């Protein structure tokens, strides 16, 4: 079987039990949505991590993928005009899009904000949007990409994700966008030097050291048991 056809069947199996999403889908419900219909609520992702996720997903069998996507729970908010805004799982969704941009995935509707006049205000109140660029500067909502294809690369967001995997900080569920806070911290301390797959081992080693410096104590998830 051709790889593209196999991937198509894999997605169809994983989403077969979900109804198509619509502007009237109830909050709390699961439905199937084309990846192309997702509107990101952040400007960037860590491309290195997206590539890792892509490789992991490509190796999953249909039933395993279905369980995985249900467990990860891709959340969306229905906004003005019936548009669907992705509020988390940007890396996972980007990896799925890179595998097959024409397919749909199961998503969970977590909110409905139909009024355009206060949409972005409500999104920020609910911590459903990250209006900052790769270096932490504020951006207007208009600077967000309209689709997954428009997400930029933030290598320090990837570095923060790898540091989290090494328990450099605790992902406190009471803190929002914790990886972006650590990404900015690492970037500032490392003078925003380029990060690549080749430099990642040394970059991660330095990040783990930086995570235990006194300057990191005010960051969410700082480990009190850091060696000093």
């Amino acid at each position: 079987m051709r790889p593209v056809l196999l991937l198509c069947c894999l997605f169809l199996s994983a989403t077969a039990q979900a109804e198509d999403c619509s502007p009237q889908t109830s909050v709390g419900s699961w439905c199937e949505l084309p990846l192309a219909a997702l509107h990101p609520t952040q400007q960037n992702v860590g491309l290195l991590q997206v590539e890792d996720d892509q490789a992991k997903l490509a190796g999953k069998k249909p039933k395993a993928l279905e369980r995985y996507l249900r467990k990860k729970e891709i959340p969306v908010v229905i906004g003005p005009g019936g548009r669907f805004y992705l509020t988390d799982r940007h890396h996972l969704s980007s990896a799925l899009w890179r595998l097959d941009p024409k397919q749909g995935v199961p998503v969970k509707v977590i909110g409905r904000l139909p009024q355009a006049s206060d949409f972005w205000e409500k999104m920020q109140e609910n911590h459903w949007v990250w209006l900052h660029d790769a270096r932490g500067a504020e951006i207007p909502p208009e600077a967000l990409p309209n689709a997954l294809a428009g997400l930029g690369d933030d290598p320090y967001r990837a570095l923060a994700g790898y540091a989290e995997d090494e328990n450099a900080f605790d992902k406190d569920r009471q803190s929002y966008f914790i990886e972006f806070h650590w990404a900015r911290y690492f970037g500032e301390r490392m003078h925003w030097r380029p990060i690549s797959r080749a430099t990642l081992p040394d970059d991660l080693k330095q990040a783990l050291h930086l995570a235990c410096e006194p300057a990191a104590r005010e960051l969410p998830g700082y480990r009190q048991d850091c060696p000093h």
Side-chain angles (χ1 to χ4, degrees), residues 15-62:
T15 60
Q17 296 180 347
E19 296 182 358
D20 290 343
C21 296
S22 77
Q24 289 74 43
T25 299
S26 300
V27 174
S29 299
W30 287 83
C31 57
E32 181 183 347
L33 188 70
L35 288 164
L38 288 170
H39 292 263
T41 55
Q42 62 191 52
Q43 195 176 54
N44 301 286
V45 290
L47 186 55
L48 291 176
Q49 283 197 302
V50 171
E51 292 172 349
D52 290 346
D53 288 346
Q54 181 182 351
K56 293 176 184 177
L57 293 169
K60 288 186 179 294
K61 295 182 179 180

Side-chain angles (χ1 to χ4, degrees), residues 46-174:
L47 186 55
L48 291 176
Q49 283 197 302
V50 171
E51 292 172 349
D52 290 346
D53 288 346
Q54 181 182 351
K56 293 176 184 177
L57 293 169
K60 288 186 179 294
K61 295 182 179 180
K63 288 188 179 295
L65 178 64
E66 180 180 0
R67 291 193 298 269
Y68 183 78
L69 294 180
R70 288 280 179 168
K71 180 180 179 181
K72 288 296 183 180
E73 189 174 302
I74 299 175
V76 298
V77 167
I78 302 176
R83 291 184 291 274
F84 293 87
Y85 289 85
L86 177 67
T87 62
D88 200 359
R89 304 299 185 194
H90 286 75
H91 287 75
L92 171 60
S93 299
S94 295
L96 291 167
W97 180 86
R98 288 164 67 91
L99 285 170
D100 190 342
K102 296 181 180 180
Q103 294 305 313
V105 292
V107 300
K108 186 174 183 179
V109 178
I110 63 169
R112 176 180 282 103
L113 299 173
Q115 301 300 322
S117 59
D118 63 354
F119 175 71
W120 291 111
E121 179 182 351
K122 295 293 185 183
M123 288 287 284
Q124 291 187 80
E125 288 178 0
N126 285 283
H127 307 284
W128 286 338
V129 61
W130 177 251
L131 293 176
H132 299 269
D133 66 14
R135 296 200 175 190
E138 292 187 8
I139 60 171
E142 294 76 21
L144 293 172
N146 290 320
L148 294 172
L151 283 165
D153 180 28
D154 179 356
Y156 280 91
R157 169 59 182 82
L159 181 62
Y162 291 124
E164 180 190 353
D165 291 342
E166 295 294 328
N167 297 313
F169 55 88
D170 293 323
K171 190 167 183 178
D172 182 357
R173 289 298 178 182
Q174 300 302 313

